[in-house]
């Protein structure tokens, strides 16, 4: 009688919290001119093999379907995006600014707080390799977090660039075949003992540790920060060349957002992947691209940790789902009239509930309160007048039943507490 | 380079169409006081075995996960709902009015137009077995379809009652064990040769065929229609005892919505399932319930067939995602100023796009048109004034750059074409 391990039930309060996150994501993305798309939750396993890097492939939630196909619940959306764009790009003016909110999956050993599914906002900008595109995308990431009410004290986006590292590899005469492996070592270096990293890096240990200690400079990243400062967003970022990202397909700028206190895992991460679309289309279509993903789980934790953000989301939840009116039927002989009125109020867009079974009046009022109704509409002794009671103020008014729709309409803003 | 057979990619136009359907569903459900919830996309296979009936179980998209668990991509949401409610019901005041929009899956031989996934609105009313609950739910179904702009000429809800049939079986001394099988035979009778149905029914053929020919009367259904007529909704329904529904767990009123022309499969279907929650909780919790589901695929076809509905949805799509402004940069030396302004406009809630790479002015205007922007904002020779051009009317105005935010704010309704 439980969900499978690592899967969540969303009871109404949880679902409202989740939907308010989704609504904030959509609102900010649309301000940036991004349009929503979606792909299948299930894809051929080969779409992810070799494209995504060892970490994701080892955790794939994959299986053989009844038709003998090797398939996987999507671990991430970027390979699907590359597939869809490669197949349809002729129909679209570039650059594409696309976002999506897929549920993604992984199969790994259960640990505390590690789920097997989460929802993930994906934002991608495709068909433009200018640095301005990276700026626009990092700005979107910052404004998404600002959209939740977070300020520069709450989070930071750390900016890095893989070409900085591959330029260093080139200068040190490291053969191309070793680059992916070395990037993985650098990616893990923060979480591994220094000796282990040093052993894996060999001759490269000295120059790499120098950079990780703050000795590297990237002109591209400095330009990126300069362009963000035109938008007054530089205070939300920091150059940090230790960011490499685990996914294999990144080719340029990479970045991750963290809470300033450093208590949580990364809130979001992404980067440039200029070669993936060509790879997945056998070079029939080649388009530069940059994107990021932000999951609902870490973000949700940060929202709960920051009171201003939590209150802002709670307000959105209330706007989303609060009930306007509860119809209380004290005289059963008025039920027919009440139902006729209920229908007309709902047709006019009001959110109205009532007790469909015969119920004691006191219990009907209790239900109205517990549902958070703004007001009750009583069919009682006052008929042909109705008693309208605003629950917040306890104020009561008598309104002739045939005039109630017009009366409410005229006071819509007031009643909804606008 | 294609999605798996039976799975859809949602390009931005498809996704906007789908999201506008979801938004309509949510809006009408909330008018009825329904709150949203959700469950896992993957569940233990046994949740569906025996509970849902042979049709669904034979088409399960099931597999063994890496931990050796028998699991299935959900074919429907009702068993999850029963599981979640049984586990959490103490925390909620009854009745529950819950809706959800899950993606559901089945694995069956590919046929033209038969997908392996679809989205499905589920609405359930739990904890009340009064006929008024069935009325409220059927009214919601009708208003959901009216919410898309459909009228009584476009669709009909056919109402039936399984207890009518089980009462008939009792009167004819049919043993209880045969009921499920016989209900399946009646459910299929419309689509099977009469002789085959007759053979399967045996002695029951005569009374059953009499009812199917219109010779049955149900007082309960007549009351249901009477109560719908209080809400002026009776014109949308028809009593039709041939409706039985394929799912095994229904126990009372059942209903299906069809297009009036009879060209499409059922748009929606549901009914009362008073025993499922008890079954799934080993009788620890027993709650009556009634619910229905409406898929996005048949509904989408009907919307495309009915011009008024299609236009209504198209309007919602436009409201959802249209761009307000496109910033055109004719003088690169103004890019910094333009970016500062862009940020402020987005912060104020405007949807604003621009070209992040250096682009010819003519192409920037073309992009603004193709994105459906309401207006362009030109950084050109007129600096320090900006040229604001409304694309629908071609009207142009010069506005000092430092006043543009206030200027737009004052004309927000006009600009957005409200």
């Amino acid at each position: 009688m439980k969900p499978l391990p690592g899967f969540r039930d969303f009871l109404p309060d949880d679902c409202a919290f989740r939907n308010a996150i989704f609504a904030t994501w959509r609102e900010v993305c649309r301000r940036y001119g991004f349009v929503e798309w979606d792909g299948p939750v299930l894809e051929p396993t080969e779409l992810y093999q070799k494209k995504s890097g060892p970490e994701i492939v080892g955790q794939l939630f994959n299986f053989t379907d009844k038709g003998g196909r090797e398939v996987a619940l999507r671990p991430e959306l970027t390979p699907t995006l590359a597939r869809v764009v490669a197949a349809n790009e002729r129909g679209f003016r570039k650059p594409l600014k696309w976002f999506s909110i897929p549920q993604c999956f992984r199969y790994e050993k259960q640990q505390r707080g590690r789920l097997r599914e989460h929802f993930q906002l994906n934002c991608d900008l495709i068909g433009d390799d200018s640095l301005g595109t990276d700026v626009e995308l990092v700005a979107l990431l910052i404004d998404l977090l600002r959209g939740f009410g977070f300020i520069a004290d709450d989070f930071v986006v750390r900016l890095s660039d893989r070409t900085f590292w591959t330029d260093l590899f080139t200068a040190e005469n490291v053969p191309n075949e070793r680059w992916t492996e070395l990037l993985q070592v650098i990616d893990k270096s923060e979480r591994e003992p220094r000796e282990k990293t040093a052993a894996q890096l060999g001759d490269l240990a000295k120059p790499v540790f120098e950079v990780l200690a703050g000795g590297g400079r990237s002109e591209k990243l400095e330009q990126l920060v300069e362009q963000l400062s035109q938008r007054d967003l530089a205070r939300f970022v920091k150059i940090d060349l230790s960011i490499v990202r685990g996914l294999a397909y990144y080719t340029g700028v990479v970045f991750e957002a963290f809470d300033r206190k450093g208590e949580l895992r990364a809130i979001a991460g992404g980067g440039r992947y200029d070669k993936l679309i060509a790879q997945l289309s056998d070079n029939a279509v080649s388009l530069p691209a940059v994107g990021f993903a932000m999951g609902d789980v870490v973000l949700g934790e940060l929202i709960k940790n920051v009171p201003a953000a939590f209150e802002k989301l709670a307000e959105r939840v209330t706007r989303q789902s609060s009930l306007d009116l509860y119809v209380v039927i004290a005289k059963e002989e008025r039920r027919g009239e009440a139902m006729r009125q209920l229908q007309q109020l709902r047709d006019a867009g009001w959110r109205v509930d009532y007790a469909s079974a015969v119920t004691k009046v006191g219990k009907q009022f209790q239900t109205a309160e517990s549902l958070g109704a703004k007001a009750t509409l009583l069919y009682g002794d006052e008929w042909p007048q109705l008693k309208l009671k605003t629950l917040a103020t306890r104020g009561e008014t008598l309104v002739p039943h045939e005039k109630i729709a017009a009366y409410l309409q005229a006071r819509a803003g007031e009643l909804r507490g606008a």
Side-chain angles (χ1 to χ4, degrees), chain A:
Chain A
M1 292 302 294
K2 282 182 188 171
L4 289 167
F7 286 81
R8 290 173 290 176
D9 291 330
F10 290 89
L11 293 174
D13 284 351
D14 308 319
C15 193
F17 185 85
R18 181 190 89 178
N19 285 358
I21 288 177
F22 292 178
T24 306
W25 281 345
R26 287 194 168 98
E27 185 184 300
V28 179
C29 285
R30 286 171 183 159
R31 274 197 242 144
Y32 270 70
F34 278 67
V35 294
E36 190 168 351
W37 73 286
D38 198 4
V41 71
L42 207 66
E43 289 274 18
T45 305
E46 66 172 344
L47 185 64
Y48 308 109
Q49 278 160 348
K50 296 183 189 168
K51 310 290 185 302
S52 297
E55 193 185 351
I56 271 197
V57 170
Q59 299 174 357
L60 275 182
F61 209 124
N62 60 320
F63 61 96
T64 309
D65 80 6
K66 288 181 178 175
R69 289 177 204 86
E70 294 300 321
V71 297
L73 289 165
R74 59 185 169 199
E76 54 150 344
L77 195 63
T78 310
T80 298
L81 175 68
R83 173 179 69 68
V84 169
V85 168
N88 298 282
E89 62 96 22
R90 288 186 178 195
F92 298 103
R93 180 177 287 261
K94 262 66 74 179
L96 308 180
K97 300 175 92 169
W98 283 14
F99 78 95
S100 189
I101 307 180
Q103 193 173 19
C104 295
F105 304 85
R106 63 181 165 202
Y107 195 96
E108 55 172 352
K109 261 219 180 107
Q110 272 297 101
Q111 297 170 38
R112 193 181 59 85
R114 292 282 276 177
L115 298 174
R116 288 184 175 161
E117 52 78 18
H118 71 155
F119 289 90
Q120 196 185 65
L121 170 67
N122 278 250
C123 300
D124 295 89
L125 225 164
I126 297 165
D128 187 339
D129 62 2
S130 68
L131 187 66
T133 319
D134 304 69
V135 175
E136 173 79 345
L137 202 78
V138 172
L140 171 57
L141 171 54
I142 293 166
D143 274 341
L144 281 160
L145 293 169
R146 289 177 66 221
F148 288 99
F150 297 123
I151 58 174
D153 287 345
D154 297 321
F155 74 93
V156 61
V157 179
R158 294 198 215 152
L159 305 173
S160 182
D161 182 10
R162 277 205 183 175
T163 58
F164 172 90
W165 290 107
T166 52
D167 287 351
L168 184 146
F169 297 159
T170 306
E172 301 278 340
N173 296 313
V174 179
N176 213 304
E177 310 85 73
R178 289 198 61 207
W179 290 8
T180 304
E181 165 215 334
L182 288 169
L183 288 169
Q184 299 283 343
V185 172
I186 297 169
D187 179 49
K188 292 203 165 59
S189 65
E190 262 195 346
R191 305 184 290 277
E192 299 279 5
R194 189 181 168 97
E195 304 75 44
K196 187 176 171 189
T197 304
Q200 289 170 321
L201 291 172
D203 290 348
L204 277 179
K206 189 166 170 287
V208 167
F209 281 128
E210 271 175 27
V211 173
L212 293 179
R217 264 201 65 194
S218 159
E219 203 183 318
K220 196 203 287 180
L221 293 176
E222 286 166 10
Q223 281 179 29
L224 206 165
V225 175
E226 170 58 28
Q227 292 191 34
L228 285 168
S229 75
Q230 290 174 344
R231 308 188 191 198
D232 197 23
L233 298 177
R235 67 190 185 283
F236 297 99
V237 302
K238 189 186 158 192
I239 293 174
D240 180 347
L241 291 163
S242 76
I243 300 291
V244 176
R245 306 277 301 145
L247 294 168
Y249 48 66
Y250 290 123
T251 55
V253 167
V254 288
F255 49 90
E256 291 184 348
F258 291 90
D259 64 303
R260 285 270 184 194
K261 291 185 185 160
E263 291 172 349
L264 307 173
R265 301 165 66 97
I267 307 164
R272 186 163 276 288
Y273 54 98
D274 285 347
K275 294 183 181 153
L276 185 63
I277 294 173
Q279 261 183 44
L280 286 173
S281 68
D282 296 326
N283 292 306
V285 178
S286 177
L287 285 170
V290 57
F292 66 80
M294 180 188 303
D296 69 329
V297 177
V298 178
L299 175 65
E301 289 173 30
L302 188 59
I303 290 170
K304 285 172 185 163
N305 286 351
V306 176
F310 188 79
E311 275 164 39
K312 189 168 182 178
L313 204 77
E315 270 168 39
R316 190 183 273 274
V317 165
T318 305
R319 268 205 312 282
Q320 230 170 46
S321 50
S322 69
L323 193 66
D324 294 316
L325 289 166
Y326 194 91
V327 171
V328 175
I329 301 170
K331 301 278 171 193
E332 274 305 315
E333 62 270 31
R334 296 292 163 223
R335 184 170 285 270
E337 284 285 352
M339 291 301 100
R340 194 185 54 76
Q341 189 63 68
L342 172 92
Q343 180 69 32
Q344 290 179 8
L345 292 172
R346 285 174 172 170
D347 280 353
W350 294 96
R351 294 175 181 170
V352 196
D353 206 358
Y354 75 109
S356 47
V358 177
T359 309
K360 285 183 182 160
V361 173
K363 200 175 164 216
Q364 293 182 60
F365 276 107
Q366 278 170 25
T367 303
E369 296 270 4
S370 78
L371 293 174
K374 297 275 188 297
T376 52
L377 198 59
L378 176 69
Y379 283 76
D381 292 329
E382 301 81 2
W383 180 264
Q385 305 215 79
L386 306 179
K387 192 187 277 181
L388 180 71
K389 180 175 177 181
T390 308
L391 294 184
T393 62
R394 307 274 142 188
E396 295 181 347
T397 329
L398 289 177
V399 185
H401 77 99
E402 74 280 9
K403 295 192 174 155
I404 190 69
Y407 184 92
L408 291 169
Q409 189 56 43
R411 285 157 189 81
E414 189 187 325
L415 186 70
R416 289 189 168 127

